[in-house]
Amino acid sequence: MAPDGVRTGRLDGAWWPRSRDLLLELPSLAAEIDERWGRITRITVNPAQWPLIPRRIPVAGHTVHAGWFTTEQDEHMIMVCSYAPRRLNLLVVPPQTDAIDATRLMAKAADPANTKTASELLATQTAGGGAQPAPRSDFLPSAVAPSTRPGEAGRRADLARNRAASWPVPA
């Protein structure tokens, strides 16, 4: 994350999830941000990088509402909104990125002097032989897909996914 009170760059920091499963990955991000910036209420992503975008994600005793933008939002960014009227724009480091490249990308994204978008940062890293962004997709998810993760993590992800899919949609 960028230093408190400093907001000259386009990004506030970065997030390095271990997979493309928001139901599995978002709770740890929310727990960290809830403590520092206030409870997360909403996130938006670009569906080019996320195979499933549930409308609601159960997180540590509350629900985070999720949405997506296909053209308005950088495909390598997540926007996080909290109760304390605060919005964070975070670079999403591709899960397959190695630790050295991920560390470099996260430092650049948190630098208040950074003027590049999330996609521009990834392109710069790729040009230097670093992280490769995931292939672009125009797939807009509309169904609940089963987890491919083995064991307990996969069962928890499937349970959370099914629970979120069964929630009524507000009118």
Side-chain angles (χ1 to χ4, degrees):
M1 301 292 287
D4 289 347
V6 177
R7 178 75 161 80
T8 57
R10 288 185 164 186
L11 299 167
D12 298 297
W15 176 42
W16 186 23
R18 301 299 183 243
S19 73
R20 297 274 180 204
D21 187 337
L22 282 173
L23 285 170
L24 190 62
E25 301 294 339
L26 190 65
S28 61
L29 175 67
E32 184 65 31
I33 292 177
D34 282 358
E35 286 183 27
R36 294 180 66 184
W37 305 108
R39 180 175 276 190
I40 291 178
T41 57
R42 177 169 299 282
I43 63 147
T44 63
V45 297
N46 185 307
Q49 300 300 320
W50 303 96
L52 175 70
I53 304 170
R55 289 179 183 246
R56 287 174 255 154
I57 303 168
V59 173
H62 70 284
T63 301
V64 173
H65 296 270
W68 65 84
F69 295 101
T70 55
T71 56
E72 297 89 351
Q73 185 167 332
D74 187 315
E75 69 181 84
H76 299 288
M77 186 187 84
I78 183 171
M79 184 178 70
V80 179
C81 300
S82 70
Y83 276 127
R86 177 134 177 116
R87 185 181 95 186
L88 299 172
N89 295 320
L90 303 176
L91 162 73
V92 178
V93 177
Q96 71 276 11
T97 306
D98 68 61
I100 293 170
D101 289 334
T103 302
R104 198 173 297 129
L105 282 166
M106 290 187 287
K108 287 179 184 178
D111 183 350
N114 171 50
T115 58
K116 295 182 179 177
T117 66
S119 289
E120 289 170 345
L121 277 179
L122 283 171
T124 302
Q125 187 72 14
T126 302
Q132 298 290 325
R136 181 159 168 66
S137 166
D138 290 325
F139 171 69
L140 287 175
S142 61
V144 176
S147 173
T148 58
R149 291 178 155 247
E152 184 61 26
R155 284 191 292 279
R156 283 195 318 267
D158 286 341
L159 177 64
R161 213 178 272 106
N162 290 335
R163 196 171 35 225
S166 67
W167 291 340
V169 176

